Each structure stands twice: as structure tokens, then as C-alpha cells.
Amino acid sequence: MKKHILSGLLMTLVVILASSGLTAQSVITVVGKSKIEAAPDQVRINLSINQQSSSYDEAVGTLNQRTKKLVEVLLKQDFEEEDIKTTGFNAQPYYEYQNGKRQQKGYSASQNLEVLFAYDQERLGTIVKELSKADIEPNMNISFLLSDEKTASLKQQLLEKAMADAKATAEVLAGTQDKSLDGFAEIRYGATQAAPQPMYRADAMMMKAEADGADFGGFEAKTIPLREEVTVIWKVK
């Protein structure tokens, strides 16, 4: 009775293996990696303006005037109106503590704008200078990044390098056991990984100090590393 049960289990296992396409052939699983340093081809400038006043209308009204001046400066730097994006607006009461009690002192309003353009160090320096001279006093974040088009153009190169790395590693491992590769059984792939983008931050006073000087070397963008990773299961013989 036990022999019949064991025989049945073995037959079931053979059927499962056959239906799944699995064989007893040896395999090696390796991870191939690649990395490319790419120069950024885009710049994103985020500008924020904050205004505090005793009344809501005054806070919002003054904020709108300063924002209008900011837009005018950007339009003079060859931006179109559709290039200037509003990414946030906020208006709310603000409070201060006096004698341990919270008291409303007025209203605080803020607005955030963003422009994205092809990276040009000279143009970037000019934009910052013109903004600082307009007495708008915005805070600023500058991000250097890769466009989708450039990222896509580098993807094939990254994948080819990752696959070559996986194959080279597998060949070494197989050779240590007097084996050779016999094609791959499976490839597992994720997505292109970009490192955090270089960023420059400055408040209104820092912008003014930068603009009064002649050196804008701080806006020289560093390269951005791109990485790919593939897992390959190689058959060996």
C-alpha cells in the first residue's frame, strides 16, 4: 500500500515538473549592474513669495502685486506665460505667543511658481540677477535634472552594460566549476534608477548677495548618475 502511494506521488511530481517546463539543468543566478554619469540638460527654478499683513485682504493683495512683478521679470527672460506654472497658493492666519498665550497677529499668504528650461549656465545666472534686482525678495530652489528624452536615450546603453556585466560574472562562476553558459532561463528587470538631483537653495538675502557679485560658479551643474540592474538566471552545462 505504501509503495503504491509513493509511486503515485513520484508520478505526480514528474507531471508537475513537466508541465512547468522545469528541468534538472544547473543554473546560475547573477545580478548585472551598470552606471552612467550624465550631464543635466534641464533646470527647474522654484520661486516662493511670502507675505504677512494685519488683514487678509492686505496680505493677499500685496502678495499678488509681488507675484505680478515676478512674472514680469520672467517674461523679460524669454519665458512665455504658459512656461510659468503656479505650483501652490496658501493664505491663513498666523499667531504669536505672548505671556504664554497664542494670539492672532494677522494673515500670512504665500505663492509658489516654477519654470523649467534647457540648462544654460549663463542664462541661469542672468535670471537670478534680474530677479534679485526687482526687489521681489523670492526664495529660490534650483534643481538640475535630466529630461525624459535624454534619460530614454541612455537607457539602451545602460541595459546593454548591465547584461554584459551579468554575463561576465556568470562566465567566471561557471568556469570555476568547469562549466560553460548555455543561454539564459529568465531575466528579471526593474526600472532605470536616477540618483537624487543636484539642488541649489537660496533665500532672498542670499540671492541678493550672489547677484551683487560677479561669480556665479555655484550654478555649475554636476553630473547625475543613472543606474540599471538586471537579474539573469543562466543555464550551464
Side-chain angles (χ1 to χ4, degrees):
M1 182 66 178
K2 291 183 179 179
K3 290 184 178 180
H4 289 299
I5 294 175
L6 180 59
S7 177
L9 290 173
L10 289 173
M11 287 298 296
T12 301
L13 179 59
V14 170
V15 171
I16 293 174
L17 290 173
S19 63
S20 64
L22 296 175
T23 68
Q25 184 173 16
S26 298
V27 297
I28 296 176
T29 302
V30 296
V31 177
K33 298 181 179 181
S34 62
K35 177 181 176 181
I36 292 177
E37 298 280 343
D41 61 338
Q42 284 189 333
V43 179
R44 178 186 292 120
I45 303 180
N46 293 98
L47 296 156
S48 62
I49 300 177
N50 302 293
Q51 181 66 46
Q52 289 185 341
S53 297
S54 58
S55 69
Y56 177 90
D57 289 342
E58 184 178 353
V60 173
T62 304
L63 175 68
N64 288 338
Q65 292 175 9
R66 293 172 62 198
T67 302
K68 183 179 178 180
K69 288 182 180 180
L70 175 58
V71 171
E72 290 173 352
V73 172
L74 294 174
L75 291 175
K76 291 179 181 178
Q77 297 303 312
D78 297 328
F79 289 107
E80 302 294 333
E81 288 190 1
E82 57 267 26
D83 298 329
I84 306 170
K85 311 293 185 183
T86 298
T87 59
F89 175 86
N90 182 57
Q92 61 185 3
Y94 77 90
Y95 301 85
E96 291 181 359
Y97 281 89
Q98 294 182 346
N99 299 322
K101 295 182 179 180
R102 191 178 75 157
Q103 297 183 355
Q104 182 178 339
K105 303 300 293 184
Y107 289 84
S108 176
S110 63
Q111 186 161 352
N112 301 320
L113 300 180
E114 173 187 289
V115 289
L116 179 69
F117 57 99
Y119 173 56
D120 182 291
Q121 185 181 6
E122 184 177 351
R123 184 187 181 194
L124 176 58
T126 300
I127 291 171
V128 174
K129 280 189 174 183
E130 294 303 314
L131 287 170
S132 68
K133 291 191 296 185
D135 294 326
I136 308 166
E137 297 183 348
N139 294 319
M140 173 183 64
N141 284 350
I142 299 175
S143 302
F144 301 98
L145 43 137
L146 297 172
S147 64
D148 292 341
E149 293 78 10
K150 186 166 185 177
T151 300
S153 70
L154 295 171
K155 186 171 185 176
Q156 181 175 349
Q157 185 178 349
L158 281 162
L159 288 174
E160 289 174 350
K161 291 178 67 175
M163 284 297 294
D165 180 58
K167 185 176 182 180
T169 302
E171 286 176 337
V172 171
L173 293 173
T176 62
Q177 302 300 314
D178 295 325
K179 300 284 187 178
S180 61
L181 300 185
D182 190 26
F184 57 83
E186 185 179 347
I187 297 177
R188 300 168 187 164
Y189 169 66
T192 304
Q193 302 172 14
Q197 300 155 354
M199 181 175 289
Y200 177 94
R201 294 185 177 88
D203 60 21
M205 292 183 64
M206 288 176 64
M207 285 177 62
K208 181 66 174 175
E210 289 272 4
D212 288 341
D215 182 13
F216 277 84
F219 297 124
E220 182 74 42
K222 297 181 180 179
T223 57
I224 299 174
L226 285 173
R227 298 181 177 87
E228 278 286 8
E229 186 174 297
V230 294
T231 300
V232 185
I233 302 177
W234 296 90
K235 295 181 287 186
V236 295
K237 60 180 179 179

